[in-house]
């Protein structure tokens, strides 16, 4: 199952939702504007990153400046607390499938990884056939 973390005002989140719906891929949306992220979810998401906080924390967020904090200097618990109290510090959307595949942000060329393998190969075959005409 795909879990989609969004916020109400996020244009990329709306694009990701539209893409998943267009491809008839079921997902569970978690709007962080209304449903706070849990510490366990933060830990899971961080464990799936390759670059740690650089991958999920928005560099455009003004929250660290307002709070006068350095993200890299925070203890893990302080980081969890910061994200729980300020979820808009996260890059969005966050798309996770079965705790195996994670994509941060909407990138159309990368989101195709969420199409089931059978459908991906079928889609590629259909495109090849269409291209022959």
């Amino acid at each position: 199952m795909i879990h989609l973390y969004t916020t109400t005002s996020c244009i990329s989140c709306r694009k990701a939702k539209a893409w998943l719906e267009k491809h008839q891929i079921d997902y569970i949306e978690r709007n962080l504007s209304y449903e706070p992220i849990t510490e366990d979810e933060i830990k899971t998401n961080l464990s799936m990153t390759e670059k740690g906080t650089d991958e999920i924390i928005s560099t455009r967020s003004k929250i660290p400046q307002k709070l006068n904090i350095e993200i890299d200097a925070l203890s893990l618990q302080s980081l969890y607390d910061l994200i729980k109290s300020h979820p808009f510090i996260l890059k969005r959307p966050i798309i996770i499938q079965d705790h195996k595949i994670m994509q941060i942000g909407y990138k159309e060329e990368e989101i195709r990884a969420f199409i089931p393998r059978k459908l991906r190969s079928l889609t590629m075959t259909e495109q090849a056939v269409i291209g022959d005409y």
Side-chain angles (χ1 to χ4, degrees), residues 3 5 11-13 15 19 23-24 28 31 37 40-42 50-51 60 63 68 75 77 102 109 113 116 118 130:
H3 293 267
Y5 294 86
I11 293 170
S12 294
C13 297
K15 287 180 182 179
W19 189 92
H23 290 87
Q24 300 176 351
I28 297 171
N31 188 322
I37 191 165
D40 286 340
E41 289 172 313
I42 296 167
E50 293 179 14
K51 300 175 187 171
R60 292 186 279 172
I63 293 167
N68 194 28
S75 68
Q77 188 58 55
M102 179 168 78
E109 62 280 356
K118 286 181 187 177
I130 292 169

Side-chain angles (χ1 to χ4, degrees), residues 5-7 10 13 32 45 51-61 87-95 103-107:
Y5 294 86
T6 66
T7 56
C10 174
C13 297
L32 299 176
N45 295 354
K51 300 175 187 171
T53 58
D54 290 344
E55 200 168 331
I56 67 166
I57 301 294
S58 173
T59 55
R60 292 186 279 172
S61 174
F88 288 80
I89 198 169
L90 293 172
K91 292 180 182 178
R92 300 167 308 275
I94 299 173
I95 310 167
Q103 179 177 323
I104 312 268
Y106 175 76
K107 300 169 193 93

Side-chain angles (χ1 to χ4, degrees), residues 96-114:
I96 299 175
Q97 181 177 18
D98 301 327
H99 302 294
K100 295 178 185 172
I101 301 172
M102 179 168 78
Q103 179 177 323
I104 312 268
Y106 175 76
K107 300 169 193 93
E108 189 169 357
E109 62 280 356
E110 292 177 17
I111 198 169
R112 295 185 181 284
F114 295 97

